Amino acid sequence: MLQAATNEVSRCHPNPRTHALEQRAVDVRKKKKKNGFCSTSTMHFFPDTSRPYVKQELPGVLLFRLKGQLFPYNLNWKVPCFPFFNCNLDLFGVRRLHSQEIVRQKDSSSRKMSTWAVKTMDMDVTTEEDSVALRLSPAYETAMEALSSLITRQKRGGASKIGGKYKKLDRMLMYIKILGLEGHLGGLKIIHVAGTKGKGSTCAFCEAILRECGFRTGLFTSPHLIDVRERFRVNGLDITEDKFLLHFWDCWHRLKLDLQENLTEDLPMPPLFQFLTVMAFKIFVEEKVDVAIIEVGLGGKKDSTNVIKEPVVCGIASLGMDHMEALGDTLAEIASHKAGIFKPQVPSFTVPQRSEAMDVLRERANELMIPLEVVAPIDCKWLDGIKLSLSGDHQYSNAALAASLCKSWIRSTGNWEKLFQHDDKDSLPEPFIRGLSTARLFGRAQIVHDSSSNSSTVSMVNGAASGDLTFYLDGAHSPESLEACGRWFATVVKDDKNLLSLDSCLKTGIGEEVSENGFVYTGSKESNKISKRILLFNCMDVRDPQILLPQLVNTCATLGTHFSKAIFVPSISTYNKVTSGASAVPFHLPAKDLTWQFNLQRIWENILHGKGFPEKPLKKENPACFPPNNFLYEDISHCKPADGSFACSTVVSSLPQTIKWLRDCVKENPRLRIQVLVTGSIHLVGDVLKLINR
């Protein structure tokens, strides 16, 4: 049957060169079958023609497709053999596989797409090690490698290698046309959101609200923390690995095929974010979402998402100084970029802004003759005693913006009267409150009690109770967002009324309660805890730590919260590689240049010691992989700046070893409670989440 179909393809294939490559793939498959392997193919027929052609959608899987149509008819075709890519079954830890059925089943959540259901029979029981291996999909890792090849900058702020006569948005429109999305993009009912800080939270609130109202939602955000699939949510859930691969390779091969046929330096493969953006459009079109919430990547006017010509409503979250190398050095210039998402006849909303930013937003809105409504932070009484699911006072502003965007979207799409009987301006509908209380966005004001020490209960390590280790994670990286982060952290760590911390590197005025090593013991004998607050920090070298670190320290100190220690460590993730949640994280990392981390430490020690601290850069020839054993228990009297000895901060070369050190500290001392604020870099936050979730 496979040979007959191939012969038919040979007579009608639209591209002889591509067919020759595909024919070689068929020959390889026949050879493997001769050697004892069995494989299968899948035939797709489209409604506009009766003849198929071969196309490789997934590594090792040949799909018979036809040009010209985006959505195939559903076809059931059962074959008592397994796909070619499963020939390397030892990678999955499967000892023996007698048969497998591939059944094309219609996905209940979509009328246009269908998914693969793989049924295995008569298979040996896998070991625990095998179960872990099952999560490491070679096909998925291959996709990550392909994505990494689309990165055109080696570091943030570096020059893009993309040139040619076409501008970014012109190229985006061409990519959309190649993928056959040109006529479908206008059918997406989009909420488009820009901003310096809070735009991701606003989008998350919007998604949760509209899903609670009964709409099928699509959400596209950036960046991801652990796995690229986080960027694409359908109905509140990250897209599955299978669907990601299906959409990814379809986009990849269509673009590759078209660009090879029309080879030109003016239209190369799209860079990473542009590829992910067009892929998001494809996913939302094929998943038939009712609403697509799209977060701007960078700026607005020239952002890849700004190919959206007719959104239903636009929003701009709080503006501040960030990405100045791309957007300009003044708030007015930055606001001008953000206002670039405004469209004629599309209502727009924003939150209170500084006057230089608000003036620019209003001017642009007036030019387009569109309404721009400024939304005040949400009133707590509107929530009926329910807490926002995203922590921090700044979230009340994001929640208010999201509620206004959702109200406008529901009205503009003609659904308000169907859902709600009246419009009370002094209250929120019940689905809105549920959405605001259930929205999720990892790495922003997130608290994680480390499972290795089982912080929520008393854990036992070698027969003894273990201490508590809690991570407070926030990807803040601008002065405004670090101020909000500091307020959030200072508030949440003071919620426990029975705990009082003397942070030994700063004066507290509580002399009579101090025991050895500068700790304070409070509460009953059963609940005595030694409390230490540690800053785990890194930031990209395009940012100004001379502004960021003092902003954070001063904000926390104003609210009575001080750090015992600061640890400066490089991130694991790199700017030029995309990894998945299952990608291996080596425990012993290769040596890195830590000049930047020593610079951060110097700034930190300057904050603590004042003008008397030496200005010369700090440097060690062989920095430790993790803090010294006594680091946690030294007080400020042990600081000897002239000798390069510091009791309040350290530079370490390995993030995995640092996490292990923190865990060992609480395991060794059951009275110890460590609260770690991880901030300064969204990449650092993602790396920590990846490590503590393993």
Side-chain angles (χ1 to χ4, degrees), residues 469-590:
L469 174 59
T470 305
F471 292 92
Y472 300 80
L473 303 112
D474 193 280
H477 49 261
S478 69
E480 296 84 359
S481 59
L482 275 166
E483 179 183 1
C485 171
R487 291 186 179 278
W488 163 72
F489 179 69
T491 300
V492 295
V493 297
K494 291 172 67 177
D495 280 347
D496 191 337
K497 305 299 182 182
N498 294 322
L499 283 172
L500 178 62
S501 166
L502 172 62
D503 297 289
S504 54
C505 290
L506 296 171
K507 295 180 180 179
T508 62
I510 314 176
E512 68 280 0
E513 296 184 69
V514 179
S515 69
E516 60 179 338
N517 297 323
F519 292 106
V520 172
Y521 299 88
T522 62
S524 64
K525 185 175 181 180
E526 293 77 11
S527 63
N528 276 351
K529 285 288 183 182
I530 304 169
S531 182
K532 293 295 267 183
R533 290 165 190 156
I534 297 176
L535 174 66
L536 187 60
F537 188 90
N538 191 37
C539 67
M540 301 181 78
D541 58 10
V542 295
R543 309 198 184 279
D544 189 353
Q546 303 260 24
I547 297 175
L548 300 183
L549 283 170
Q551 180 73 278
L552 177 64
V553 172
N554 294 335
T555 300
C556 289
T558 300
L559 297 172
T561 296
H562 306 279
F563 293 99
S564 304
K565 309 288 177 182
I567 302 174
F568 302 100
V569 60
S571 303
I572 300 172
S573 56
T574 60
Y575 196 75
N576 59 356
K577 185 173 178 58
V578 181
T579 59
S580 72
S583 298
V585 178
F587 195 70
H588 299 284
L589 298 169

Side-chain angles (χ1 to χ4, degrees), residues 387-401:
K387 285 187 176 182
L388 296 177
S389 59
L390 304 181
S391 302
D393 291 342
H394 57 290
Q395 295 294 358
Y396 288 96
S397 181
N398 298 330
L401 178 59

Side-chain angles (χ1 to χ4, degrees), residues 327-344:
L327 305 180
D329 296 325
T330 68
L331 196 57
E333 288 178 294
I334 292 172
S336 177
H337 278 275
K338 308 294 183 180
I341 70 168
F342 290 166
K343 302 294 187 301

Side-chain angles (χ1 to χ4, degrees), residues 136-147:
L136 304 177
S137 165
Y140 195 66
E141 292 302 315
T142 301
M144 296 305 101
E145 293 175 7
L147 273 178

Side-chain angles (χ1 to χ4, degrees), residues 1 24 36 141 154 188 197 237 305 324 355 365 392 430 460 464 469 489 492 494 525 532 553 567 581 653 656 664:
M1 182 173 65
R24 285 201 293 271
E141 292 302 315
Q154 294 303 306
L188 288 176
K197 60 187 182 76
L237 298 176
T305 65
M324 284 91 77
S355 59
E430 184 68 24
M460 303 297 290
L469 174 59
F489 179 69
V492 295
K494 291 172 67 177
K525 185 175 181 180
K532 293 295 267 183
V553 172
I567 302 174
S653 60
D664 289 344

